[in-house]
Amino acid sequence: IVGYVALHIHSQRLAEIRSLVVDEKYRNRAIGSNLVKCAVEEGEKLGVEEVLTLTYMGSFFQKLGFVEIPKETIPEHKIWADCIKCKYFPVCNEISLIKKL
């Protein structure tokens, strides 16, 4: 395995890119970009309207058509299902981005 990504479905409207990782030896070969594109395509096939991501690599996702949004606009079910369990909640340094499909 050289890379991995997960698409988590939150609702009929919203999915989330999670756990994107590429082995250091294989970075800068478009593997991460291709994994994200495949996940977005899966979301489109499933009929979701938006794909969310929380990341420290904002520019990477912006190159793939994601747009930064204020964390305050992240749907509540994401916050209460996942973020509240994080040791960094509510002071999180991740950037929230979304892509409309």
Side-chain angles (χ1 to χ4, degrees):
I1 295 175
V2 298
Y4 176 85
V5 71
L7 182 70
H8 179 82
I9 307 300
H10 284 285
S11 68
Q12 289 180 320
R13 187 183 67 73
L14 181 69
E16 179 184 7
I17 299 281
R18 290 187 176 184
S19 305
L20 176 63
V21 64
V22 175
D23 186 303
E24 286 184 42
K25 295 179 283 193
Y26 295 93
R27 292 186 183 164
N28 299 311
R29 298 183 191 187
I31 294 168
S33 299
N34 287 324
L35 287 170
V36 171
K37 288 175 187 176
C38 287
V40 168
E41 287 173 10
E42 182 180 353
E44 288 175 327
K45 288 177 187 174
L46 294 171
V48 298
E49 298 171 18
E50 299 175 317
V51 177
L52 170 75
T53 191
L54 292 165
T55 182
Y56 297 110
M57 307 290 288
S59 60
F60 170 81
F61 283 94
Q62 287 171 333
K63 290 175 188 172
L64 298 172
F66 286 74
V67 177
E68 188 172 346
I69 60 169
K71 280 187 242 172
E72 297 78 30
T73 63
I74 296 173
E76 286 185 13
H77 57 274
K78 162 63 181 169
I79 299 299
W80 295 115
D82 298 317
C83 294
I84 196 146
K85 299 172 192 169
C86 178
K87 67 180 181 178
Y88 298 110
F89 182 82
V91 182
C92 173
N93 292 332
E94 288 185 305
I95 300 164
S96 53
L97 298 106
I98 204 153
K99 182 177 177 96
K100 302 215 184 265
L101 307 183

